[in-house]
Amino acid sequence: MTTSPARPPSPSHQSHPSRPPEPKIERSLTLHLRGDWGLANLHRVCGWISQELADRCGPHTKVATWNSRGFSDAVRAVGRGEVHVAMTTPAAFTTAALDGRGVFTDEHYPELRALGVVPQRDRLVVGVRRSHGVTSFAELREAKPALAVATSLNDGVNYVGLAAHAVLERSGVDVRGWGGTFLEDERPFESFAHVLEGRADAVVHEAVMLPHWQEFGGDMHFLEVEQDVLDGLWADYSWPSAVIEEGYFPGCPRFQTLDFSDFLVLTRSDLPEDVAYAIAWVIGETRHLLERQYKHLPPERSPVTYPLDPVTMGRTPIPLHPGAARYYDALS
């Protein structure tokens, strides 16, 4: 295996001599990671972790990254021991897998642990074309328009489709019963194409930092999710709420909706402690290597919300692996 040449410590490491010690694992490891479909951010994070971890392990270390959808399938793969580490988003959706709620009622995984989060400030939003004259869920229920709704697959794996249907159903919206239809795809780009090319007159989706939203956002009313719906989703599944600030979409006021933030670096409690510490150290101490891949974008429009802060990266919705906790505790 070819590894990158030795490099000097990052500037942040040089300026803080009391930082957590750099890991060195003498034995060679074989690890399996799960990222995304192959070309998105989760795979990029896996590549970053793989390179920096291999540089600090035995000379025959091998790290494989498997394709994944990055949703409940990734959580199950870790829980079942099929891979050692997986990336999944949004981070908070994993919480229900600990005690078997929602899509995890059939099989849950109390041994799941976190190695950290890579921050991504994201939201799931509901937009309806302004031509319908609907500005709230109350008005939507009153009008009952036949909508073509662009969203993701609701197959128990894709969290976008799962959350979209949960929000609509709990808000009293019966898309098919009102004569409408769902245009369902796996990735956001197909959904955005439905909107931009006129096939959809409503959208329920995430990845709000992508430029597509600026193209069609001015033609949409974005509906604030009602408080009782958000409270119910939190109580039942631990799905948090968040806001979209005024002007984030063209001409759009501030509104509250479902939080869809952060990439969770997920493992199990049986991952060796020194490996867990090493991965957490890589995430925190070599973060500049990931940051610089996004700095051509403003932070609020970036798929990774930089600057990355190791303390924040250690605040996870599920318990930290003890090895990872050792790294984050050493930051204080």
Side-chain angles (χ1 to χ4, degrees):
M1 175 180 178
T2 301
T3 61
S4 58
R7 63 172 65 83
S10 68
S12 63
H13 193 245
Q14 289 177 320
S15 60
H16 296 281
S18 63
R19 301 292 291 184
E22 182 172 353
K24 180 61 179 176
I25 299 175
E26 298 296 335
R27 68 190 186 281
S28 295
L29 306 178
T30 299
L31 291 178
H32 294 268
L33 279 58
R34 260 177 89 134
D36 53 49
W37 310 284
L39 281 176
N41 302 289
L42 303 188
H43 242 59
R44 180 175 288 186
V45 171
C46 286
W48 161 49
I49 291 173
S50 298
Q51 173 178 299
E52 296 305 303
L53 180 65
D55 282 354
R56 294 165 175 86
C57 296
H60 307 297
T61 292
K62 299 179 291 185
V63 185
T65 298
W66 292 85
N67 289 64
S68 176
R69 296 168 70 184
F71 303 120
S72 69
D73 60 317
V75 176
R76 293 185 188 278
V78 174
R80 293 169 179 170
E82 297 170 4
V83 296
H84 301 96
V85 176
M87 303 295 303
T88 183
T89 186
F93 279 42
T94 303
T95 308
L98 293 173
D99 54 4
R101 289 173 289 150
V103 294
F104 298 105
T105 53
D106 61 328
E107 186 178 353
H108 66 286
Y109 315 99
E111 69 280 8
L112 291 174
R113 296 294 181 268
L115 298 172
V117 295
V118 177
Q120 184 204 40
R121 191 174 298 113
D122 202 359
R123 310 287 184 258
L124 185 95
V125 298
V126 181
V128 180
R129 287 205 191 274
R130 290 175 178 264
S131 58
H132 286 284
V134 168
T135 63
S136 68
F137 274 106
E139 292 177 357
L140 186 60
R141 290 190 294 267
E142 179 70 23
K144 296 181 174 59
L147 297 174
V149 181
T151 188
S152 286
L153 301 167
N154 183 29
D155 60 357
V157 175
N158 190 307
Y159 284 154
V160 179
L162 175 71
H165 281 263
V167 167
L168 293 175
E169 289 166 9
R170 290 179 179 232
S171 300
V173 177
D174 185 1
V175 171
R176 293 190 178 99
W178 297 347
T181 187
F182 287 100
L183 304 175
E184 296 181 321
D185 295 279
E186 172 69 3
R187 290 183 282 272
F189 305 104
E190 294 88 350
S191 297
F192 299 157
H194 290 314
V195 179
L196 289 167
E197 295 168 18
R199 292 184 294 274
D201 51 0
V203 60
V204 187
H205 230 292
E206 46 91 58
V208 296
M209 75 294 298
L210 293 180
H212 307 72
W213 292 95
Q214 302 305 311
E215 294 182 54
F216 61 70
D219 191 38
M220 293 279 169
H221 284 305
F222 291 94
L223 309 188
E224 181 163 73
V225 181
E226 293 159 328
Q227 190 63 53
D228 64 320
V229 173
L230 293 172
D231 290 344
L233 293 171
W234 172 255
D236 292 343
Y237 310 131
S238 300
W239 295 357
S241 60
V243 299
I244 292 280
E245 295 296 344
E246 180 179 1
Y248 190 84
F249 301 130
C252 181
R254 185 180 190 270
F255 67 98
Q256 187 170 223
T257 189
L258 192 66
D259 194 9
F260 229 71
S261 294
D262 297 342
F263 306 145
L264 181 65
V265 189
L266 183 66
T267 190
R268 295 197 321 184
S269 58
D270 57 359
L271 186 74
E273 185 163 332
D274 59 346
V275 178
Y277 174 87
I279 293 175
W281 187 95
V282 163
I283 292 170
E285 299 300 307
T286 72
R287 60 193 182 276
H288 62 287
L289 299 175
L290 185 70
E291 283 181 338
R292 70 188 185 193
Q293 299 181 53
Y294 294 91
K295 285 196 171 179
H296 61 290
L297 300 168
E300 69 277 6
R301 304 292 179 188
S302 170
V304 168
T305 307
Y306 67 87
L308 303 178
D309 171 39
V311 173
T312 301
M313 296 165 84
R315 295 172 183 155
T316 57
I318 69 168
L320 283 165
H321 188 290
R326 182 160 58 89
Y327 166 73
Y328 296 111
D329 288 346
L331 296 172
S332 55

